[in-house]
Amino acid sequence: MTPPLPLLGREDELARLGECMDALERGGCAIVLLGDPGVGKSALQSQVVTSARCRGMNVLEARGSQSETHLPFASLHQVVRSVLPGVEALSGRQRDALLRAFGMNDIAAAADPFLVSLAVLELVVEAATQRPLLISLDDMHWMDQASLDVLGFVARRLATERIMMVASARPGSATIAADPAITWLSIESLPDRVAERLLDLTSPELSPATRDRIIRQADGNPLALLEFPIAVRSGRAGWSDLTGQLPMTSRLEGAFAGRVRSLPSSASTLLAVAALTDGVDLTEVLRATGLLLGFPVTAGHTQPAVDEGLLVTDGVTFQFRHPLVRSAIRTLMPLSQRLHAHAALAEVITGSPDRATWHRASSVTDPDEEIAARLESAALRAQRRGAVGSAVEWLERAAALTPDHAARGARLLSAAELAFEMGRLGAVEELKTRASLIELRPRDRSRLTWLHGVFDDGTPGEPFEVRHLVSLAREAMADNDSELALQLLVGGARRVWWGDPGADVRHEIVAAAEDVGASPADPRLLACYAMAEPVERGRYVSDQLATWRFDADGSPDVAALLGLTAFCAGDFTRAVGFLSTPVEALRAQGRLALLAQALAVRAWAAIYTGSFELARSAEEAVRLSDETSQPVWGATARIAVATLNGLRGDPDIGVLFAADQVASRGRKPRSSLLAGIQLARGVTDLGAGRFESAYAELRRVFDPSDRSFHRAQRLWALGFLAEAAVHSGQRPEARAIFGDMVALAGENPSPAVTLAFALTAAILADDDSAQAEYESANRSGIGQIPWHRARLELAHGTWLRRRRRVLESRGPLRAARTTFDELGITTWAARANQELRATGETGWQSAKRSWDVLSPQESQIAHLAAQGLSNREISERLYLSHRTVGSHLYRIFPKLDISSRYQLTEALRERDGAASTVSVATTVP
């Protein structure tokens, strides 16, 4: 046996991978090797696998195939097949979801993709309990999307596990989503000196001229350094075929093609079939090749391809020596041969009807309704298995083979709707465009219209786009389709919230919504009012919301919409109530995209009401938004996290910069996000006593010429602006702004605006009226919300002290300091204490709360454990492995100075008693 070649020039990469392997007892890692074809990614991976086995590690492997990208969970099954017997130890929901994904049990009910992911995570984590585990994913760019989604989920959760994931992919390919938990390692070409050493080892007989030319042509690509000398020696590929002007992939394919052309017809036909099949079963390939040639074909017919170094087989399965061999064969293949090979494979594949259907569909070029119908049925089965991405691909192929134009459009729309569910925005746009060119049936026209209305939540309101949606809604009304009309108008109103298109457009949405004739308390009608005209109609919306129960009569979707509506209308207490109700239902249903949105909006409502412990769920909203590919909602949650951190004196400039990038993307900035960023910066500076900077940051939200201007959010920020103004010499300008806001809001403003006006009037009052204004503000309802009451007390105490009423000032200042401290708002407590020290009072120390020592996720786990949930129950709620939950608890106990979960309830109560009471109180309307 020829010994393997050493990996020349890869010492740094091997050292990096070895360090990760060495550190597995302290936590896992995920590394993706990025590099061009032939650069040596697979060789590095093979070395890692060998090293892992030598260390006694468990190894799970999978390799993507160009012909298997349409098969749902094909690559995932390769990964877990050796640990699949462990499925019986999983919870019933996880076990059923995973077996359904692999088509191993009844698929009448749809599989939850995230339960499938969690099941795989638990399987590999359990396998790693016995010995450390390596997951090796070669050619990840050719893995099916369903598998990639699951593997990405797992990769993001390895930090506390004894698992190392190493994957290889080509640059620019669609693989797993970028995440800070995943390391991307670029594999570059070899330098000339290393290339020369490799040629010396493998082809010492080359003449100096040929050797120099190969080094130039190969350009440091290790595979080219091995293949080009073979092409030269064989004489089957001339140098014109390998010219350096071609891309390296084409040159390498040309080198392999020269060897394919030299094969006997039986071997070349066999290779053609093998290049098209979506499996590794050699028997299928032999039988299909026999159908094409008209005589029995045996394993012996593979020998010429094996001898040429193109194919590797054990007599039962096969694989190509390198993926470029497959692509070279496919490039050489005439269309007629390709069609016949697919037809032969469709004939011999008997155990998998869906695979046979795909090959049958690939064997024809003319429309065929029977095949299209089979593809549609296969897409439905893929969807039920949780492989939504595969279902989209199958539906697209079904549409291409559909003879009837209207039916073709319907199938394209079905594919677009599934792509929309997945957040695949580019695919939705492409499918919508193709469907819009077809004469659709009336109901399908409505489906297309709906996609136009709701697509890409977070898109700012360009006037012509919003007006188009209003026009479509009026067309739907003319067709007596009020449901569709309201859906379209809500979509338009969402765009108005993210970026204001102007008063005329806002009013057009509201007027159209009124013309629908819906019930006054219809959630969609209220959503249109709240998002399009929150200042003018906030109080009306709040009054109508009071007629709804927080559980929205058992509908989490409706409760989520009502919560968003309450937030936009400035009724934050109700927003918390509505949004807290569907969170667990959405979590249990695995609807993580909507859950991320609900958590993000609830976090902001909780910030405005001072329920800061509840607002820490913004961290989970960040993770879930990233998980479900919702960058705008991820930015929304990140700004909430930055605001919380700023209130505690821990600003995060990097987070706000990343959110600004998302907010500024596209033709029109998302002013709602930008206003949130300014609020985060303003409250951070305000708490730290940087009053001039705080005023400048907050002032931008009030300036119509600034991109951070937002009609509703400026009113909610008014109290903060006033606080900064009185300490920075900007009281006159702030008073003018206040007057404008009062005139704008009218006689009956929303709850949030009413509170902001009361606080602002007191803070900005002159000395003669200030005491009366502070007393009036106390009676306004501010006293029921500790966060705002403490801000009022701080302002009042500061005003009293600076007017030399020292003894009177201590009462409100002490009360403010105590409340800020209970809420964990350390910088604000420090400000109040600084004012008290100026009165001569000293000796205060801040109390430690659980959030001072526990991260948001640790706090969430601690509270769930205190409720009596097991590690596995907590893991399923939070989409973590049960071992990760256990690791968190192991770290939580010493932080809380306890030794068991039975002490959690008391420990949390002792630390958070007063603040917990505050948080609960503010969630009840």
Side-chain angles (χ1 to χ4, degrees), residues 2 71 90 135 186 268 399 405 464 515 518 521 593 597 652 678 718 749 772 775 794 797 821 852 868:
T2 304
L71 290 180
L90 299 177
I135 301 175
S186 181
S268 62
H405 286 258
F464 73 92
D515 289 344
Q597 297 176 23
D652 194 331
Q678 293 310 119
L718 191 58
E775 291 172 0
L794 174 60
D821 191 40
D852 293 320

Side-chain angles (χ1 to χ4, degrees), residues 54-193:
C54 290
R55 293 168 181 244
M57 292 173 60
N58 195 356
V59 178
L60 306 180
E61 295 181 86
R63 186 170 192 170
S65 169
Q66 194 174 5
S67 299
E68 290 185 353
T69 55
H70 62 282
L71 290 180
F73 298 116
S75 295
L76 184 66
H77 190 266
Q78 288 184 58
V79 174
V80 303
R81 60 189 169 194
S82 66
V83 296
L84 201 53
V87 74
E88 294 304 322
L90 299 177
S91 73
R93 294 174 68 226
Q94 293 176 28
R95 180 183 63 250
D96 291 346
L98 184 58
L99 294 178
R100 196 174 296 133
F102 291 147
M104 298 170 68
N105 70 357
D106 176 30
I107 59 171
D112 173 2
F114 287 98
L115 274 179
V116 174
S117 299
L118 189 55
V120 171
L121 178 64
E122 290 286 10
L123 274 183
V124 298
V125 165
E126 195 61 35
T129 59
Q130 304 301 318
R131 47 193 176 131
L133 177 71
L134 172 70
I135 301 175
S136 174
L137 309 173
D138 203 359
D139 289 331
M140 188 168 57
H141 48 275
W142 277 329
M143 290 184 173
D144 62 280
Q145 189 60 54
S147 293
L148 288 173
D149 291 341
V150 174
L151 295 168
F153 178 98
V154 172
R156 291 186 283 272
R157 287 164 173 80
L158 298 182
T160 60
E161 312 298 346
R162 298 199 304 169
I163 300 174
M164 179 177 182
M165 179 184 288
V166 179
S168 64
R170 295 181 183 178
S173 57
T175 54
I176 56 179
D179 187 275
I182 300 170
T183 300
W184 303 82
L185 186 59
S186 181
I187 309 302
E188 305 294 343
S189 298
L190 299 175
D192 284 352
R193 57 180 177 76

Side-chain angles (χ1 to χ4, degrees), residues 332 453 513:
L332 285 174

